[in-house]
Amino acid sequence: MATNKYISMSVIKRLPRYYRFLSNLKDDGISRISSKELSNRMGLTASQIRQDLNCFGGFGQQGYGYNVETLYEEIGKILGVDQGFKMILVGAGNLGRAIATHMSFQSRGFELIGIFDKNQAIAGEMIKNIPIRSINVLDDFCKENLPVVAALCIPSSESEEIVDQLVALGIKGFWNFTHFDILAKYPDVAVENVHLSDSIMTLSYQVMNTA
Amino acid sequence: MATNKYISMSVIKRLPRYYRFLSNLKDDGISRISSKELSNRMGLTASQIRQDLNCFGGFGQQGYGYNVETLYEEIGKILGVDQGFKMILVGAGNLGRAIATHMSFQSRGFELIGIFDKNQAIAGEMIKNIPIRSINVLDDFCKENLPVVAALCIPSSESEEIVDQLVALGIKGFWNFTHFDILAKYPDVAVENVHLSDSIMTLSYQVMNTA
DNA sequence: ATCATTTTGGTAACAATAGTTACAACAAAA
DNA sequence: TTTTGTTGTAACTATTGTTACCAAAATGAT
């Protein structure tokens, strides 16, 4: 049990994948699994799995392996799927709407409580039982409802201003779909980037350079 | 000039970001930049920039720096933004539609030539001047038009079957938005994963554990 | 023009991080 | 018991990133 030490981002990034595989194992009615068997299924080394899990405590048992249900729940706790962080979404264009409707926020630790767009014409439209609000009421809404996290699906040009505004309103994390890089300007704000354009360009490189 | 040596994925993943910053510099009318100045703007070390760029050749000049326009074009070539790889999109739900309408495929090295969905009811609908086709005609379409890359926006449960089918049809790369992990089953097929659920869970962890 | 000075990229040596191999300790099964 | 299976962890290796330095080019003074 070594909960206080620093955990590298490499480890954190692997946790959701473990969580996913454990969920599948559960669905398949498998109640125990060894690091070796899991490593076969996931395509990585058994040792890495053991080392990753040991960052958070000894969840396994020698000669037995890991209890699927327990491990699933433990990783869920580590990732905070039970936190229900209040989230707002800014930008209700194609991508914003898709994110709002497509994602299962609740099972990932979030609760979507508001959607905002600068386009007055679409204000009032409902997405997943949440009305699109004008960006003009963002301030008031945040002061009243205290969201913790914001998903950004707006053009890059508007990003910096909105980020400043939201940080001032107490936002502690961004799910950033814009091209804008939220830099170390705000050291105690978490940022998770989803740069789709970067991703597709990486694919292009890979296609060119794969045997 | 060392073009033949292996380039690590860490370097490749940074290239689109360089490309983005260089594009901004160009727009701002800046024609030359030193690794030091660029490192300031990007929040990384000057040395890393020089080392990264040197993987592909000596684009800079001592005492001068890098020519923005030239470097932009060179990185573009490395990433293959001029390749125009034929791409199809499978799954025209919320996410698939958003990807199709939101992304600028052309400027990233791709050309979207077909959209497919298993739902017969939406067949014929147009997205970006491309008709949604039934998944039943996927085989014929691919044999005739020879797409190279496929974007997957379908449920995980259907992924494995579709992947097998597409690989058999000659697809060399996947832009994978599903939960399904395309494993090393096909070693000469490139895969770029966009696991949105994994991403949002990572954010949850970060929000909990950021000072 | 020329020469010293400053700037800067390229590269090698070094350091830090991440991942693998190896094994002792323990639990389960026979 | 003894044997087998499996974890947790230490030692080792590989990869990635940083520091340090040299040579080339630009700049500025004479």
Side-chain angles (χ1 to χ4, degrees):
Chain A
M1 197 71 90
T3 322
N4 301 24
K5 80 162 175 230
Y6 166 80
I7 313 284
S8 85
M9 200 41 86
S10 319
V11 175
I12 304 306
K13 295 268 182 202
R14 279 192 291 269
L15 291 183
R17 188 149 177 269
Y18 291 136
Y19 194 68
R20 218 156 10 96
F21 273 79
L22 287 164
S23 176
N24 292 343
L25 289 172
K26 247 176 18 124
D27 292 348
D28 294 350
I30 296 168
S31 64
R32 61 180 270 196
I33 190 145
S34 69
S35 57
K36 190 178 171 195
E37 169 64 16
L38 189 56
S39 75
N40 282 145
R41 292 177 185 241
M42 295 188 65
L44 32 79
T45 67
S47 172
Q48 182 165 54
I49 293 175
R50 295 204 298 275
Q51 204 175 43
D52 283 351
L53 298 178
N54 258 79
C55 292
F56 306 97
F59 302 130
Q61 192 173 31
Q62 283 119 327
Y64 176 90
Y66 297 86
N67 179 285
V68 171
E69 179 71 33
T70 309
L71 188 55
Y72 176 79
E73 280 169 13
E74 289 293 337
I75 295 180
K77 272 187 232 160
I78 294 164
L79 289 170
V81 297
D82 54 350
Q83 292 287 316
F85 289 122
K86 287 185 189 169
M87 178 184 262
I88 58 171
L89 187 149
V90 185
N94 284 307
L95 190 58
R97 284 162 193 262
I99 297 300
T101 48
H102 178 265
M103 292 297 300
S104 168
F105 291 98
Q106 205 164 2
S107 62
R108 310 300 176 190
F110 296 91
E111 185 195 355
L112 186 61
I113 62 167
I115 301 174
F116 298 86
D117 200 285
K118 68 169 178 184
N119 181 2
Q120 304 288 343
I122 61 171
E125 268 184 51
M126 301 296 278
I127 299 176
K128 280 246 204 132
N129 291 320
I130 300 167
I132 300 178
R133 292 183 169 84
S134 163
I135 198 82
N136 299 331
V137 301
L138 180 62
D139 260 81
D140 289 344
F141 182 92
C142 289
K143 280 167 188 164
E144 192 173 329
N145 297 283
L146 303 173
V148 182
V149 173
L152 298 185
C153 297
I154 56 183
S156 318
S157 51
E158 300 162 23
S159 300
E160 187 158 23
E161 193 185 346
I162 291 281
V163 167
D164 289 345
Q165 184 182 358
L166 287 171
V167 170
L169 287 163
I171 292 291
K172 294 293 178 207
F174 288 95
W175 201 21
N176 179 33
F177 287 82
T178 80
H179 288 176
F180 176 71
D181 280 271
I182 303 169
L183 275 181
K185 193 169 163 186
Y186 303 110
D188 54 355
V189 169
V191 178
E192 173 69 16
N193 291 305
V194 182
H195 290 315
L196 295 177
S197 297
D198 290 12
S199 171
I200 198 175
M201 291 172 92
T202 305
L203 176 60
S204 168
Y205 177 90
Q206 287 181 78
V207 171
M208 282 196 297
N209 297 87
T210 300
Chain B
M1 196 70 91
T3 322
N4 301 24
K5 81 164 177 234
Y6 166 80
I7 313 284
S8 85
M9 199 43 85
S10 319
V11 176
I12 303 306
K13 295 270 182 202
R14 280 191 292 268
L15 291 183
R17 188 150 176 268
Y18 291 135
Y19 194 68
R20 225 162 355 104
F21 272 80
L22 288 163
S23 175
N24 293 343
L25 290 172
K26 247 174 19 122
D27 292 347
D28 293 350
I30 296 167
S31 64
R32 61 181 270 195
I33 188 140
S34 69
S35 58
K36 191 179 172 195
E37 169 64 15
L38 189 56
S39 75
N40 282 143
R41 293 178 183 241
M42 296 187 65
L44 34 81
T45 67
S47 173
Q48 183 166 51
I49 293 176
R50 294 204 297 275
Q51 206 175 44
D52 283 352
L53 298 179
N54 256 78
C55 292
F56 306 97
F59 301 131
Q61 193 172 32
Q62 282 120 328
Y64 176 90
Y66 297 88
N67 179 285
V68 172
E69 179 70 33
T70 309
L71 189 54
Y72 176 79
E73 280 170 13
E74 288 294 338
I75 295 180
K77 272 186 231 160
I78 295 163
L79 289 171
V81 297
D82 53 350
Q83 293 285 316
F85 289 122
K86 288 186 188 168
M87 178 184 261
I88 57 170
L89 188 149
V90 185
N94 284 306
L95 189 58
R97 284 162 194 261
I99 296 300
T101 48
H102 178 266
M103 292 297 300
S104 166
F105 290 98
Q106 206 164 1
S107 61
R108 310 301 176 191
F110 296 91
E111 184 196 355
L112 187 61
I113 61 168
I115 301 174
F116 298 86
D117 200 285
K118 68 169 179 187
N119 181 1
Q120 304 287 343
I122 61 172
E125 268 185 52
M126 301 296 280
I127 300 177
K128 279 243 203 135
N129 290 319
I130 300 166
I132 299 178
R133 291 183 170 85
S134 163
I135 197 82
N136 297 332
V137 300
L138 180 61
D139 259 82
D140 290 343
F141 182 92
C142 290
K143 279 168 187 161
E144 192 173 330
N145 297 284
L146 304 173
V148 182
V149 173
L152 298 185
C153 297
I154 55 182
S156 319
S157 52
E158 300 162 23
S159 300
E160 186 157 23
E161 194 185 345
I162 292 280
V163 168
D164 289 345
Q165 185 183 358
L166 288 172
V167 170
L169 287 163
I171 291 291
K172 295 294 179 206
F174 288 95
W175 201 20
N176 179 33
F177 287 81
T178 79
H179 288 176
F180 175 71
D181 282 88
I182 303 169
L183 273 180
K185 191 170 166 187
Y186 303 110
D188 54 356
V189 170
V191 179
E192 173 69 17
N193 291 305
V194 182
H195 290 315
L196 295 176
S197 297
D198 289 12
S199 172
I200 198 175
M201 292 172 92
T202 305
L203 177 60
S204 168
Y205 177 90
Q206 288 180 79
V207 171
M208 281 197 297
N209 295 87
T210 300

